[in-house]
Each structure stands twice: as structure tokens, then as C-alpha cells.
Amino acid sequence: MLSVVHSYWVHGVEGRPVRVEVKVQTGLPIFTVVGLPAGAVREGKERVFAALAQSGMPLPPRRITVNLAPADLTKSGSGFDLPVAVALLAALGHVPAPALEGCGFVGELGLDASVRPIRGAIALAMSCRAQGRRRLFVPSGNAREAAAVPGVNVVGVSSLEEVVGLLRGELEPRPPPPPAAANVSKRHPDLRDVRGQPLAKRALVIAAAGGHSLLMSGPPGGGKTMLARRLPGLLPPLAEAESLEVTRVHSVAGLLDGDHPVKTDRPFRAPHHTISAGGLIGGGNPPRPGEISLAHLGVLFLDELPEFRRDVLETLRQPMESGRVRIARVRHTVTFPARFQIVAAMNPCPCGRGGDDCICADRDIARYRYRLSGPLLDRIDLHVQVGPVSWNELAAPPGTPGLNSAAARERVLDARSRQAARFKADGAVNALVPARDVMKVCRLTEAGDRLLERGVGRFRLSARSVHRTLRVARTIADHEGREGLGEREIAEALRLRAGLQGSRASSPPANSGAFPARLTGSFPLSAPSPSD
């Protein structure tokens, strides 16, 4: 007696199809699972035995062989319990074979024959749809999540007896689960809460408009963390395809809210500086998504950047360029999405004061800054100094006019709409313009070309830095509603690019937003007013 049931398992963040073959024959009573099963899959036979006995359908003393095809990939997870049980029941004649056609099964069994939720249900539903199967049996706890995938008839079940009754036609299927409720949009903190810091606010809005990475440097208490936590409130909501992509990653990581499983807000992740390389980029056995993947299509905030281990920070270099991270193991390679927007904050030195008030020795400052490599800093678009806040700005009444998140977000959405129209794709941003298209997208005026040429020589910009400067200038022009990149846009882009170079010479005046004379020189590095 042979039966076949189709199932799925999570490999990275992708659903992979698996053919569950069960052979029941005479011989010594033994239960064998082949096809490179991992520990949870091998232990599943005990759960299947107990669940079948609890349901009143115990297994006869026969030789039972379960094969998980393809047999050359290690299978992990507990989602094979239900398909193995259904295949056994079909082989023993308890379930009609025609009822299994076009169906997929995933779920973990309890000893009481209950069907328990699993991770990655939305990824499995996507795989089911890709394989052309239109009916998927999932645990009732995963039904709402899986139903977010259009084109799949999701059947939520709570027990093995219910599955058998549905396949026999003795029970009517439950009404289809309602569309997965989206996460209630969070109320993000307002940008107006941050006092002073006009240059940093301007840089934050530009970063939001073009998807640029941002590094803020300044003494403690200036508002760097407050600014970073207000970035998600400036970003547009996730599009439908992006929402499914983010939800899939969080589902595999087991971080979804059961009542509101679909993610609509862009994720914001702020790992502690003691995190390991595996925790940041992903790892484990089987590999799980790391913080950069959980921040996919959102914001990764690295506070106290030099306190992270240098080897951990260096793992960010390749994902920042490619938008994905590939984790290689002996038996397989897993690719996780990692297109995140990095925002980092740091102090100018170990004591945090910087400038004339610094009490650090030169060797301590050198050791502190050595933790940040040149190639990593070269990949960050905007470098901004954040000075202390004056008493007048701090004591201003709450109703004082200033840039708020609502107004800034309108400007960001307008700039993003220009980019979407230019690239003819939703979600396209200037920060992701390929190097081969930079000069075509970022057309310079004669004055802008001359200023950029001088800036490349003065700041010794690499080819990557030049391209990133042009992308930032393109975003500034989009934010201001202009087409060509003239002297004004290039000047501001250079100013925002070279911010930390100035911090090595001296600290800016308190909250003036101005850079040292060494930076400005003869450059017209004036930026628009933050209220523009």
C-alpha cells in the first residue's frame, strides 16, 4: 500500500515543495523515515503514533517507510507531522485517495491529535500557489496568515479528526478565513519633539526621501537616538507586494502577531551593540533570519556604532551593496533578503564630549575610530554632525513652529512619487540606482559639474562616494521639485557627505548646523532652511 501527499517546508525564507511518500507493507513492525530528516522530523513519528491512537485509528503492526523527496536536502521543522499522518491514513484506506488531489498539508501534531501552528505559513502558501495546488490544509492558528496569499484556498484545521472528516466529506469546511488583518499602524513619535538640530532634521528627511543611509555623530544627549526613532514615521507605508515580503520574513522568524499578522508598517530594528555576527546577518542550524533581514524594507538602527565589534560591522558591507545576504553551510546555501536603510549614531570620542572639552588621549580616540573601517563608512551616504542643543531651543514652548512629521512625510511622499515615475516601478528610490545609470539619472548642469569636480579633489572622494553623492543630490532635487543638479544640490550633497571629515578637525558651534571652515573653504555649501 503506497500513498503520496504533498507538503512544504521552509528553506531560508522560501517555501520548498516536498513529496511525502508512505509505504505500508508486511514485515517486522518498524517505522522508518528517510530523506535526510532533521531531529524534529525524526521525532515526528512518535507524535504521529500518539495522535492516530488518540483519534481511534491506531497503526497496525506493519513495516512503514516514509520518504521525504527530494532526498538530497535536509528537511527540518515540525510541519511534516500532519502530511505524514494523512499519507498513513490514505495508505491504510481511512482516507480516499482522490480527496488528496490538488491539496497540500502542513502542520504539527500534538499527542492529543490537535494541529498546532508552525513558522513560515505565508511562505508555504506562496510555494503551494507556485506549484499549482489550490487547497492548503494548515493549522487554524496559521489560517489567517496564510490567507493573505491570493489564489490559495486555505483550510484551517484544529485536529486530526477534523482533517479526516473533511477528506471523507463528512464535515463541511469552515468558512474561508477573513482577509488577514493588517497591523494597526503605529503612532510614530513626532519630529517636532526634537528641539533644534536643523541640519540633522534636514538630513533625516533627505534620507527618508531617497532611501539613503545616515550616520550621525555628536556628544551624548543631542538627540541622535530621538531622530533615528522618528525616521519610520517619515517613510511611506509598504506596498502590497512589499507587505507580503516583510510578513514572510517575520513569519519564518516567528515574530508575527496572530491577530494582525500582515505587516504594513516598515520594520524598525535596533539591536544591542553586543550582538554577534550570526545574530546580525543570520545563522544557526537551520539558518534563521538575522536583524538585517528583519529590517528588510525598513530601518536598521545601530546606536553607539563604534561599540559594535569590528568583525560584526564588517559583515554589513556586502549586504549593504547587494540587498541580500547569503549564508553558506556544508549541505546547503540560504539567501535572505536584506534591503534595509541603515541609520547609525556615534560619539566623537570615548568620553563623548569631543572638541576642546575632550579628555581622551589621542591613542584612545584612534582606537575608538579604528573600529569603523573606511570601506564601511564609504558605503554610508550621509554623514552629519549633531551638536548640543541651546537653552533657548530647549525651553521653547510646545507650540513653537517647527518641522513636524506630518509635513515632512508629505514632502517625502512627493519625492518618492517622482522617483517611482522616473524608474517606472513602485518602491524605487534614488539610493538604489545602479552605478551604470547614475550619470544618466543624475544629469549635472555646468555649474554643478564644476563644483563636483572641485569637491572630488578636496574631499578625496572614491568612485563609490562620487556616485553616492550624486544620488543624494538627485534626492535633494526631487525633494525641492527641481530636475537638473546644479550648484545648490551638489553643494548640499557634498556638505552632507563630508560631515565627519570636519569633525576630525573641530566640533561645530552649538547647534549651529555649520561645519568648520576647513570643510566649507570656498565652496558655497549653504543648504536650504529646514522649514523649506
Side-chain angles (χ1 to χ4, degrees):
M1 295 175 285
L2 174 67
S3 66
V4 177
V5 165
H6 296 280
S7 185
Y8 309 91
W9 68 293
V10 175
H11 181 71
V13 293
E14 303 287 340
R16 294 288 185 89
V18 173
R19 180 182 169 97
V20 180
E21 303 171 343
V22 171
K23 178 72 172 179
V24 179
Q25 54 191 341
T26 58
L28 292 175
I30 187 173
F31 194 117
T32 305
V33 181
V34 298
L36 292 182
V41 182
R42 289 195 304 269
E43 294 172 352
K45 66 180 181 181
E46 304 298 336
R47 295 190 291 271
V48 171
F49 272 137
L52 290 174
Q54 183 69 22
S55 302
M57 295 173 287
L59 293 176
R62 297 286 189 273
R63 181 181 180 87
I64 299 173
T65 304
V66 177
N67 179 43
L68 306 176
D72 59 341
L73 290 177
T74 302
K75 318 300 187 304
S76 60
S78 58
F80 292 111
D81 293 357
L82 181 60
V84 168
V86 171
L88 277 169
L89 294 173
L92 296 173
H94 295 292
V95 171
L100 304 180
E101 295 180 2
C103 296
F105 299 83
V106 291
E108 175 186 332
L109 290 177
L111 299 184
D112 58 351
S114 62
V115 183
R116 296 173 177 169
I118 58 173
R119 292 184 177 187
I122 194 168
L124 304 181
M126 290 179 177
S127 180
C128 180
R129 180 181 63 181
Q131 293 294 312
R133 297 184 183 88
R134 298 303 180 209
R135 198 179 193 198
L136 179 65
F137 288 77
V138 301
S140 56
N142 295 123
R144 185 172 294 178
E145 172 192 345
V149 180
V152 178
N153 179 18
V154 174
V155 181
V157 293
S158 57
S159 67
L160 184 57
E161 296 95 324
E162 183 180 358
V163 176
V164 174
L166 290 170
L167 293 176
R168 287 176 176 174
E170 299 170 355
L171 296 177
E172 290 294 328
R174 300 180 186 180
N183 276 342
V184 179
S185 294
K186 301 176 183 176
R187 189 171 181 228
H188 299 286
D190 200 299
L191 192 60
R192 184 177 288 175
D193 299 336
V194 182
R195 302 302 176 91
Q197 309 301 359
L199 179 63
K201 289 180 180 178
R202 170 78 175 178
L204 193 72
V205 174
I206 292 172
H212 301 287
S213 51
L214 170 65
L215 172 59
M216 296 177 284
S217 175
K224 300 186 294 295
T225 301
M226 289 183 67
L227 286 163
R229 292 192 177 277
R230 280 149 180 78
L231 178 57
L234 308 182
L235 298 174
L238 293 168
E240 182 178 355
E242 293 177 328
S243 177
L244 287 178
E245 200 170 342
V246 172
T247 303
R248 180 178 61 176
V249 176
H250 285 249
S251 174
V252 171
L255 299 178
L256 290 184
D257 182 354
D259 295 328
H260 306 284
V262 176
K263 309 283 285 186
T264 55
D265 280 332
R266 295 187 181 271
F268 180 86
R269 305 293 298 184
H272 194 260
H273 63 259
T274 57
I275 192 171
S276 65
L280 188 63
I281 68 169
N285 188 21
R288 297 289 185 192
E291 289 293 331
I292 63 174
S293 296
L294 295 175
H296 179 56
L297 298 178
V299 178
L300 177 70
F301 176 44
L302 301 180
D303 201 4
E304 305 295 343
L305 185 65
E307 299 298 335
F308 287 79
R309 286 182 7 222
R310 177 166 175 149
D311 64 303
V312 173
L313 291 178
E314 291 303 293
T315 62
L316 293 173
R317 287 160 54 176
Q318 182 265 340
M320 289 175 68
E321 292 285 342
S322 65
R324 61 182 182 272
V325 58
R326 180 166 295 179
I327 300 175
R329 295 293 181 262
V330 174
R331 292 185 178 273
H332 55 264
T333 299
V334 175
T335 301
F336 293 122
R339 184 152 58 87
F340 55 90
Q341 186 173 352
I342 187 170
V343 178
M346 60 177 286
N347 297 325
C349 60
C351 77
R353 302 176 185 177
D356 297 335
D357 296 328
C358 180
I359 61 174
C360 302
D362 290 344
R363 64 177 179 276
D364 295 330
I365 297 176
R367 188 182 302 113
Y368 183 74
R369 291 182 173 173
Y370 171 76
R371 299 175 187 176
L372 304 179
S373 69
L376 178 64
L377 292 176
D378 199 46
R379 286 170 166 82
I380 299 179
D381 298 336
L382 307 174
H383 299 175
V384 179
Q385 279 191 292
V386 179
V389 182
S390 68
W391 168 250
N392 290 336
E393 291 169 327
L394 194 61
T400 303
L403 185 66
N404 59 52
S405 291
R409 192 168 189 262
E410 289 298 322
R411 301 290 295 273
V412 168
L413 293 177
D414 183 62
R416 292 251 180 161
S417 66
R418 295 173 187 273
Q419 295 166 61
R422 178 183 302 118
F423 303 120
K424 297 180 175 58
D426 292 335
V429 290
N430 291 326
L432 301 179
V433 175
R436 64 178 180 274
D437 297 331
V438 167
M439 300 308 297
K440 180 172 63 175
V441 172
C442 306
R443 296 186 180 277
L444 292 162
T445 64
E446 290 187 10
D449 186 88
R450 289 194 300 269
L451 182 59
L452 181 60
E453 181 181 3
R454 294 163 60 194
V456 170
R458 170 161 297 200
F459 301 127
R460 299 177 182 177
L461 300 181
S462 66
R464 180 192 290 118
S465 295
V466 172
H467 280 173
R468 291 184 178 273
T469 300
L470 285 170
R471 293 184 183 110
V472 171
R474 177 71 270 167
T475 300
I476 294 171
D478 289 339
H479 183 262
E480 301 299 326
R482 292 190 288 268
E483 187 58 35
L485 304 186
E487 194 174 52
R488 181 184 179 90
E489 290 78 22
I490 296 299
E492 186 175 5
L494 286 170
R495 182 189 196 191
L496 294 174
R497 179 74 194 177
L500 294 189
Q501 294 184 26
S503 68
R504 297 187 182 119
S506 61
S507 296
N511 201 50
S512 66
F515 285 85
R518 172 191 168 205
L519 265 183
T520 55
S522 59
F523 283 80
L525 296 183
S526 59
S529 168
S531 61
D532 286 352

